[in-house]
Amino acid sequence: MKAISVLGSTGSIGTQTLQIAEEFPDQFKIVALTAGKNLDLVIKQIETHQPEVVSLADESLLPELSRRINNLTEDTKILKKPLLMAGAEGLNTAASWESADLVVTGIVGCAGLLPTLAAIEAGKDLALANKETLIAAGPVVIPALKKSGSRLLPADSEHSAIFQCLQGTPWSDTARLSTGVPTPGFKSIQLTASGGAFRDWKAEDLAKATIKDATSHPNWSMGKKITVDSATLMNKGLEVIEAHYLFGLSYDQIEIIIHPQSIIHSMVELDDSSVLAQLGWPDMKLPILYCLSWPGRLKTPWPRLKLTQVGNLTFKEPDTKKYPCMELAYSAGRLGGTMPAVLNAANEKAVELFLEERFKFIDIPKVIEAICEKHKCDLNLNPSLNEILAIDSWARKEVLDYSGKNITRIAVSD
Ligand code: NAD
Ligand code: MG
């Protein structure tokens, strides 16, 4: 029985993790949950999983949560009231919860950084969904992993595919840490991308893209932020940096390839020209399950992949003009140090403002480029955690300033 702590239990990754725990009650037990504001869902999750600790992002919701849990205990729907916590302290406590063997990081954005580090310091293995943490703080997370011996198992479907392809090879433990040393025999990886919401749009039409357009993904059902990242293809750019840190690859060894059917989840090319791929329906439950069951495999009743039903698998080069975010991510990754943190924070804030209708879709890459450019003269190649946190705040503020100026410009030109 593996004990699991789920950070972001009410989100897309979190709810799918809990579904898996329900499907395999003899294998997995949920001991800790953290969530944002969705109290109704949290209550249901507490009733179903009976965790030992629950933390909410917002402390002001704790009295209501406590009252509603008391009702559950009185109605004997749960045996024991969990410890209730809130805010950063609650997140860190849940992430380092003593009885947990593995922490699923389903929080969105850099808010996952401190709890991820808390889990690593406590020696927990991690199922990494929260890619923003590794991208922003690779220079801190990777040494912390080396020190603690925690294993970083990729939950992102592409990185899970690479990890699955590497099982049984001499490099099967490369998902543990980045060594920075080129691995003999391992040539490159190809990350597949669906092409996101706008894959069939002409570049000139993107100026008209609405929130509804950008949050309707053709293949995957995910949280809003990552769905917008898929529409800009920043998600794929972020995944390039994620792959660099997870597998210790240079940026020249990581390619992006558009594969609209999302059946091949990524590929590894070896020096002898052999290519290994992992296939499956576009469903995040499989990569999450693999993190939970690794190194084993569990038998599932899930729909089997039928390639005859899929018919065609097609591939094409990504359009870098239509999707400038990919190149921005490669450049930030190559510069290294604090630059990926700036790219990530600028993107998070720009997407947030886009979702609040304060920013146009096509302005997202423009603002990210402007802020990365501004940071070049202050680039810090070996940042500490505090320096990363400071640069993250700086970049978010810069996006806000930019949006103020931009709104004025739009108003004047209109
Ligand atoms: P989501 O928006 O559906 O869920 C996010 C969860 O985090 C929610 O439970 C929310 O309450 C919680 N949360 C958000 N901000 C918080 C804060 N400040 N403090 C505490 N809790 C907070 O997001 P998602 O789609 O599940 O994505 C989660 C992460 O997984 C992201 O980093 C994303 O890039 C990654 N990921 C998601 C998918 C997917 O299919 N959804 C696939 C690959 C990777
Ligand atoms: Mg992915």
Side-chain angles (χ1 to χ4, degrees):
M1 179 75 91
K2 207 174 263 181
I4 295 166
S5 167
V6 183
L7 310 184
S9 68
T10 52
S12 165
I13 292 290
T15 50
Q16 294 182 83
T17 305
L18 295 185
Q19 278 169 28
I20 292 172
E22 280 179 60
E23 284 191 51
F24 296 96
D26 302 338
Q27 301 284 336
F28 310 119
K29 176 178 158 29
I30 304 296
V31 291
L33 293 179
T34 82
K37 295 185 187 134
N38 190 343
L39 274 197
D40 290 342
L41 185 53
V42 174
I43 293 282
K44 274 197 199 129
Q45 295 178 338
I46 293 171
E47 196 180 327
T48 309
H49 296 280
Q50 312 230 359
E52 295 161 14
V53 59
V54 175
S55 178
L56 294 182
D58 182 352
E59 192 168 0
S60 69
L61 296 174
L62 276 190
E64 191 188 341
L65 179 66
S66 177
R67 184 183 53 73
R68 291 177 64 178
I69 294 179
N70 287 344
N71 293 343
L72 286 181
T73 349
E74 277 166 24
D75 299 344
T76 61
K77 286 192 176 143
I78 60 170
L79 300 172
K80 191 167 176 260
K81 188 171 179 178
L83 173 66
L84 300 186
M85 300 190 73
E89 197 194 345
L91 261 179
N92 291 346
T93 304
S96 52
W97 193 246
E98 201 180 348
S99 62
D101 302 307
L102 180 125
V103 179
V104 177
T105 65
I107 283 194
V108 58
C110 222
L113 173 53
L114 296 180
T116 300
L117 287 173
I120 295 172
E121 268 161 35
K124 309 291 178 193
D125 284 346
L126 289 114
L128 179 88
N130 176 227
K131 65 190 92 179
E132 295 93 340
T133 285
L134 184 61
I135 288 149
V140 172
V141 171
I142 298 298
L145 285 167
K146 283 188 179 151
K147 200 169 153 203
S148 83
S150 292
R151 288 173 295 207
L152 203 51
L153 304 165
D156 214 349
S157 58
E158 297 76 3
H159 307 75
S160 173
I162 307 284
F163 184 49
Q164 293 183 54
C165 290
L166 294 180
Q167 297 303 303
T169 68
W171 327 286
S172 56
D173 69 345
T174 43
R176 273 166 159 249
L177 344 144
S178 160
T179 59
V181 179
T183 318
F186 187 120
K187 189 168 187 312
S188 67
I189 60 171
Q190 294 179 3
L191 299 177
T192 51
S194 67
F198 301 125
R199 64 186 184 194
D200 300 324
W201 286 42
K202 290 193 191 115
E204 54 271 28
D205 291 339
L206 291 181
K208 293 183 275 180
T210 64
I211 296 176
K212 189 162 178 289
D213 295 328
T215 51
S216 312
H217 198 285
N219 299 359
W220 298 90
S221 159
M222 310 184 283
K224 270 193 178 163
K225 189 258 176 185
I226 185 175
T227 308
V228 176
D229 285 351
S230 300
T232 58
L233 257 78
M234 178 56 97
N235 183 48
K236 213 48 56 181
L238 295 177
E239 289 179 355
V240 166
I241 305 176
E242 184 183 9
H244 162 79
Y245 284 123
L246 275 171
F247 302 113
L249 298 167
S250 77
Y251 287 94
D252 292 338
Q253 290 175 290
I254 309 171
E255 285 168 45
I256 296 175
I257 176 169
I258 302 290
H259 168 44
Q261 297 83 12
S262 299
I263 295 293
I264 295 186
H265 296 304
S266 279
M267 293 172 262
V268 175
E269 186 183 354
L270 306 176
D271 270 346
D272 61 5
S273 82
S274 186
V275 175
L276 311 178
Q278 186 263 333
L279 285 72
W281 294 116
D283 182 344
M284 282 304 293
K285 269 168 67 185
L286 185 54
I288 299 171
L289 175 69
Y290 191 60
C291 287
L292 269 49
S293 68
W294 180 85
R297 295 265 183 189
L298 292 174
K299 189 172 177 181
T300 75
W302 300 343
R304 302 338 258 184
L305 178 64
K306 285 204 168 51
L307 286 175
T308 46
Q309 198 176 318
V310 181
N312 295 315
L313 297 181
T314 56
F315 307 92
K316 61 179 182 182
E317 295 278 343
D319 180 342
T320 48
K321 281 215 173 77
K322 182 172 160 189
Y323 297 114
C325 284
M326 281 182 300
E327 288 300 319
L328 292 175
Y330 269 106
S331 308
R334 286 196 164 98
L335 285 166
T338 40
M339 194 56 90
V342 170
L343 173 99
N344 177 66
N347 179 58
E348 274 189 38
K349 194 71 197 173
V351 171
E352 183 187 315
L353 295 182
F354 166 69
L355 290 171
E356 290 170 6
E357 291 186 320
R358 291 164 66 186
F359 232 72
K360 284 187 190 170
F361 181 79
I362 49 164
D363 283 339
I364 296 173
K366 289 183 198 157
V367 65
I368 298 168
E369 184 173 11
I371 291 162
C372 287
E373 204 51 49
K374 199 165 174 183
H375 179 60
K376 273 188 184 158
C377 52
D378 296 322
L379 181 66
N380 177 348
L381 286 178
N382 194 14
S384 65
L385 175 61
N386 284 339
E387 286 165 338
I388 287 169
L389 293 172
I391 209 70
D392 175 281
S393 305
W394 171 82
R396 284 166 204 264
K397 192 177 161 299
E398 286 290 313
V399 176
L400 265 180
D401 292 351
Y402 181 100
S403 78
K405 286 177 207 148
N406 201 42
I407 281 163
T408 318
R409 183 172 56 72
I410 291 168
V412 169
S413 63
D414 281 352

